[in-house]
Amino acid sequence: MSDKKGIAILGSTGSIGTQALEVIAAYPNYFDLQVITAGKNADLLIEQALKFHPNSVVIGDEMQYTKVKEALWDHDIHVYCGEEALCQVVESTEVHTVLTALVGYAGLKPTIHAINAGKTIALANKETLVVAGELITRLAKEKGVNIYPVDSEHSAIFQCIVGEFHNPIEKIYLTASGGPFRGYSAEQLQGVSLEQALKHPNWSMGAKITIDSASLMNKGLEVIEAKWLFGLKAEQIDVIVHPQSIVHSLVQFEDGSMKAQMGLPDMKLPIQFALTYPNRFKTDFQRFNFMDYPQLTFESPDRKVFKNLDLAYRAMHENGIIACSLNAANEVAVDAFLNKKISFIEIAQLNETVVNSFTNILNPNYEDYVISDFNARKKAIELIGN
Ligand code: NDP
Ligand code: MG
């Protein structure tokens, strides 16, 4: 076995996945890329495989298996397809850390497999913790597995508590850019277009998280993600809108002291920290200049207009299966919005209707999550119609 760190990237063709590959390419003596996986983008997966020579690749879309297999047949790279293969490749003995950079509920099962196999998790796929935070954190504890956050806000919190693990957190503040519709009234939100929603002011990301950022669902998902990652109560997690996206989040300790982590918005930094922790490697990333940002501003989020954030707090307070139903409804709603089947404000309306349609299940097991996800999706699809 090599003494380099074996990495598996689930979702290497996405926004986080491609940036993770840039990080890995920068430190060839430290990382050993073992596995990359894609959903549908076979061409990019092939290009990445030819450049990085991983041990295995997985294409989610089974229709594209032959194409990938033929392109890589004489390169000594194993090619697999489908959901089960994702769960198996993460278990390889050569893999030390699994970066979960696929989007949505699809991340849950491979993450469970990776934890069961004792792999360190670099978690970008926040939906996994939103859906099944209770199960995932229990399992990680049982297996002695560390979950390092990739999400910039959670990486910020993590960076603030390194060296403070014995000091309880009083409160955390997750910062939010506010997205393209910051300051909009409920009436103004009615008329917004898909193109406007896809234009995030500060970050370039995949389509789903970009829409979630515009609707503040992303911040709602992050609040739930933080609860599980840092073992906090709902009352200990606050959201503050910070349009410049320079302060990535803050921790307040029990003596009243606050620590913030700052920097220009660039996901490569939190990706790298999750992969190299406890080390910090030198980078040539652009450095922050105070004079470019003479004013850093903060304001309260409007939870009456952006109802998704309220819904997420409710899910967090009530525990059980609600966050799983909320996530499923939201995945269907965002997909429908991206396909112009519903309007922007209908995303939050649909989420609320679906969440209200089910009674909560406390202390859910894996089957409960699978069934609740299925039922919530079905309900959301029925509500959207055709
Ligand atoms: P993208 O949509 O850009 O990429 C998603 C990746 O997952 C692609 O490689 C895609 O493959 C793959 N994929 C999608 N669906 C499936 C599936 N059903 N089975 C297997 N693979 C699948 O998303 P992002 O990179 O933006 O986000 C990834 C995760 O990271 C999300 O959970 C997001 O919330 C989180 N995150 C992202 C941030 C960002 O800056 N982008 C910041 C913080 C968190 P393909 O394209 O080949 O179909
Ligand atoms: Mg984030």
Side-chain angles (χ1 to χ4, degrees):
M1 210 167 148
S2 129
D3 55 2
K4 294 186 206 171
K5 195 183 257 189
I7 306 288
I9 304 180
L10 306 184
S12 64
T13 50
S15 162
I16 292 289
T18 49
Q19 293 179 85
L21 285 177
E22 284 181 50
V23 168
I24 284 178
Y27 307 101
N29 296 329
Y30 183 75
F31 295 118
D32 176 16
L33 186 66
Q34 282 288 325
V35 175
I36 52 175
T37 83
K40 294 195 172 79
N41 193 344
D43 290 334
L44 184 54
L45 183 69
I46 292 165
E47 190 187 315
Q48 293 176 340
L50 292 174
K51 180 170 177 200
F52 287 92
H53 278 270
N55 181 49
S56 308
V57 306
V58 180
I59 179 84
D61 179 5
E62 303 190 2
M63 304 286 283
Q64 305 210 59
Y65 171 73
T66 314
K67 179 178 182 177
V68 180
K69 179 84 187 158
E70 279 174 3
L72 302 179
W73 75 272
D74 63 349
H75 292 273
D76 201 20
I77 297 171
H78 298 103
V79 179
Y80 306 100
C81 67
E83 198 196 346
E84 282 310 310
L86 273 188
C87 297
Q88 280 157 22
V89 286
V90 296
E91 294 174 352
S92 156
T93 48
E94 305 296 325
V95 171
H96 174 277
T97 296
V98 177
L99 170 61
T100 64
L102 32 67
V103 63
Y105 179 83
L108 177 60
K109 211 167 155 191
T111 307
I112 291 175
H113 276 258
I115 295 174
N116 271 325
K119 307 303 180 189
T120 299
I121 307 293
L123 185 121
N125 179 249
K126 64 191 85 182
E127 293 91 343
T128 287
L129 278 186
V130 172
V131 169
E134 206 173 325
L135 181 147
I136 293 287
T137 46
R138 191 184 341 115
L139 196 61
K141 210 169 176 186
E142 259 169 49
K143 301 283 172 187
V145 158
N146 288 321
I147 303 179
Y148 298 130
V150 169
D151 215 347
S152 57
E153 297 77 2
H154 306 73
S155 174
I157 302 291
F158 182 51
Q159 292 180 58
C160 291
I161 62 175
V162 168
E164 303 262 14
F165 294 132
H166 57 292
N167 287 324
I169 294 173
E170 186 168 86
K171 194 169 184 173
I172 64 169
Y173 291 89
L174 296 180
T175 51
S177 73
F181 307 132
R182 181 172 61 87
Y184 277 38
S185 66
E187 289 70 39
Q188 283 173 307
L189 267 196
Q190 302 241 357
V192 302
S193 69
L194 173 60
E195 291 66 31
Q196 285 172 293
L198 282 171
K199 278 207 188 83
H200 194 280
N202 303 339
W203 299 94
S204 161
M205 310 178 284
K208 197 247 172 191
I209 184 175
T210 304
I211 301 304
D212 284 346
S213 298
S215 73
L216 288 204
M217 187 74 254
N218 183 50
K219 213 46 57 181
L221 300 178
E222 290 185 353
V223 160
I224 302 172
E225 181 186 11
K227 163 189 156 128
W228 294 115
L229 274 174
F230 305 113
L232 301 173
K233 297 195 182 80
E235 311 77 73
Q236 292 176 287
I237 308 172
D238 225 333
V239 170
I240 189 88
V241 174
H242 166 48
Q244 297 82 20
S245 296
I246 296 298
V247 177
H248 296 307
S249 279
L250 306 93
V251 178
Q252 182 177 305
F253 293 96
E254 289 189 324
D255 59 357
S257 172
M258 295 174 86
K259 277 189 180 178
Q261 188 263 334
M262 295 170 63
L264 290 170
D266 181 346
M267 282 308 297
K268 287 206 290 295
L269 200 144
I271 293 170
Q272 176 166 316
F273 191 67
L275 296 178
T276 63
Y277 174 82
N279 302 307
R280 289 186 185 274
F281 287 1
K282 190 170 173 54
T283 73
D284 58 4
F285 303 159
Q286 199 189 335
R287 286 354 188 205
F288 175 74
N289 178 350
F290 277 94
M291 291 312 115
D292 291 340
Y293 294 86
Q295 283 191 320
L296 297 178
T297 61
F298 302 90
E299 57 197 72
S300 291
D302 189 339
R303 283 167 57 168
K304 288 204 175 72
V305 173
F306 295 90
K307 293 194 164 71
N308 278 331
L309 186 54
D310 239 20
L311 267 176
Y313 266 101
R314 187 181 132 195
M316 189 166 51
H317 273 290
E318 294 181 21
N319 267 315
I321 211 77
I322 294 188
C324 173
S325 306
L326 173 59
N327 177 70
N330 186 60
E331 286 190 25
V332 173
V334 170
D335 189 60
F337 176 65
L338 286 170
N339 287 294
K340 302 197 169 179
K341 289 186 181 167
I342 63 172
S343 67
F344 185 75
I345 52 158
E346 284 174 311
I347 298 175
Q349 288 166 0
L350 191 86
N351 289 345
E352 189 170 11
T353 311
V354 173
V355 164
N356 288 340
S357 308
F358 298 100
T359 40
N360 198 7
I361 304 169
L362 290 176
N363 307 312
N365 59 30
Y366 180 69
E367 288 309 311
D368 294 324
Y369 291 122
V370 174
I371 293 167
S372 299
D373 174 79
F374 178 84
N375 288 338
R377 274 171 207 276
K378 191 159 161 268
K379 180 79 191 168
I381 291 166
E382 275 167 23
L383 287 166
I384 293 165
N386 56 61

